[in-house]
Amino acid sequence: MRVLIVGAGAVGGYFGAGLIEAGRDVTFLVRERRADALRREGLRVAVGDTVTVHEHPQTVTAADAASVGPFDAVVLSVKAFALDAAIDDITPFVGPDTMVLPLLNGMRHLDRLQDAFGERVLGGLCVVAAQLEEGGVIRRLAPGASLTLGELSGGESERTTALAAELVGQGFDTRLASDVRAMMWQKWVFLASGGAVTSLHDGAVGEIVATPTGALSALRLIDEVAAIAAAEGYPPTARALETVQSALTEPGSSFTTSLFRDLRQGLPVENEHILGDLVERAVRRGIDTPLLAAAYARIRVYENRR
């Protein structure tokens, strides 16, 4: 398959590099400035002390659509606040049979994508702790990475089976899910809980639980997020709940989320898509979520100042 990855930042660059190592036909849709950097320096991924350089990765810009034509699959790895611009950019590359696989956080993006591309849209999520460093190197911050996809309507299909087989690369696991919406919600519960806890308390997990009330407020915030998910029909499994509780109460842990790291660096944040959407759902369902609402408001103050 011809696979177009939208963006060559921390997420798209990491998974794209793994697919290139596996010999897949991967092209990155990037802005001209990023395309120039990739041509000069290659796609560089650091895992521990090892930096792998993929020289001359295939790239296109939005202006190249007429000469390139549609792709078999388009993988969206942009931040949620860049979704509208990304839809405009990818539309010329999407044909009648193109599969559109979003790896965005939360769930709000699905309606927007389905309005634009209908049944071409799949469900998807990824897990990787990575960041794009100042010099253009993509650094994996912690072990373990995975990519999951499936039909939004549930079950498996010929196209998702084929795409899952194609998206097998080095440095991550690829999974085909028959219940991808449920898995997206599980990730959302983890990400929203972690983002809210670290952003509200302005620190890593170890710093938070070192205070007398930090662990308690973390557990209560997790309960608020889990209650929203359950009301929406996707309660976290016992194992998923235990995982997030353990991760957000581990003494000495340096764990943070991308939401908090972006906030700390003064960057745009996915507040509306990760926390704001949950707050809106809680209000509609009459669920009291004081800590989640406080975390959301704290980040809105940051956004307004920015």
Side-chain angles (χ1 to χ4, degrees):
M1 292 184 184
R2 296 176 67 227
V3 178
L4 181 68
I5 297 183
V6 185
V11 174
Y14 180 83
F15 287 103
L19 292 172
I20 291 172
E21 287 188 45
R24 307 307 190 213
D25 185 354
V26 173
T27 301
F28 296 95
L29 174 60
V30 291
R31 304 298 182 195
E32 190 59 50
R33 182 178 177 183
R34 181 64 169 148
D36 288 341
L38 291 172
R39 283 192 288 266
R40 289 194 315 270
E41 303 164 1
L43 178 64
R44 295 169 293 160
V45 177
V47 178
D49 294 329
T50 302
V51 178
T52 302
V53 181
H54 302 279
E55 296 183 356
H56 311 299
Q58 298 183 94
T59 63
V60 293
T61 65
D64 299 322
S67 60
V68 174
F71 284 77
D72 298 302
V74 174
V75 180
L76 274 166
S77 61
V78 299
K79 294 283 191 179
F81 49 75
L83 179 60
D84 287 341
I87 288 174
D88 291 339
D89 289 344
I90 69 172
T91 296
F93 299 98
V94 175
D97 299 318
T98 300
M99 290 173 278
V100 178
L101 175 62
L103 302 178
L104 283 73
N105 295 320
M107 302 290 287
R108 181 176 282 179
H109 60 281
L110 291 179
D111 288 342
R112 180 73 181 89
L113 284 168
Q114 287 179 308
D115 286 344
F117 304 114
E119 294 184 356
R120 299 180 186 89
V121 181
L122 305 176
L125 64 144
C126 67
V127 175
V128 64
Q131 67 181 19
L132 181 63
E133 296 183 337
E134 189 73 26
V137 174
I138 296 165
R139 183 170 300 279
R140 196 179 75 181
L141 304 175
S146 64
L147 188 155
T148 303
L149 65 100
E151 293 286 356
L152 286 169
S153 57
E156 297 180 6
S157 66
E158 184 176 336
R159 67 174 184 169
T160 54
T161 300
L163 183 58
E166 190 70 22
L167 296 183
V168 172
Q170 300 293 322
F172 62 92
D173 298 324
T174 302
R175 301 162 184 165
L176 178 59
S178 59
D179 56 349
V180 72
R181 281 186 185 269
M183 297 189 71
M184 291 171 69
W185 268 96
Q186 302 278 22
K187 179 187 176 183
W188 195 9
V189 168
F190 186 99
L191 193 64
S193 298
V197 167
T198 53
S199 298
L200 183 61
H201 296 85
D202 193 30
V205 165
E207 297 174 300
I208 296 165
V209 300
T211 69
T213 58
L216 177 61
S217 64
L219 291 172
R220 288 186 174 175
L221 216 159
I222 294 167
D223 287 343
E224 291 180 9
V225 175
I228 301 166
E232 293 287 328
Y234 295 96
T237 64
R239 182 178 178 181
L241 202 55
E242 182 180 345
T243 296
V244 66
Q245 289 170 340
S246 175
L248 298 186
T249 58
E250 181 182 353
S253 171
S254 61
F255 177 81
T256 60
T257 68
S258 59
L259 179 64
F260 175 67
R261 292 193 297 271
D262 288 345
L263 186 151
R264 268 283 181 93
Q265 294 177 58
L267 299 173
V269 292
E270 296 182 298
N271 190 30
E272 294 301 326
H273 305 84
I274 296 177
L275 302 186
D277 192 8
L278 286 173
V279 171
E280 290 178 12
R281 292 171 189 260
V283 170
R284 287 199 300 268
R285 294 188 176 274
I287 301 172
D288 189 28
T289 57
L291 291 176
L292 180 65
Y296 169 66
R298 179 260 186 272
I299 302 176
R300 280 297 298 267
V301 170
Y302 158 82
E303 290 178 301
N304 290 341
R305 285 176 178 168
R306 185 177 182 280

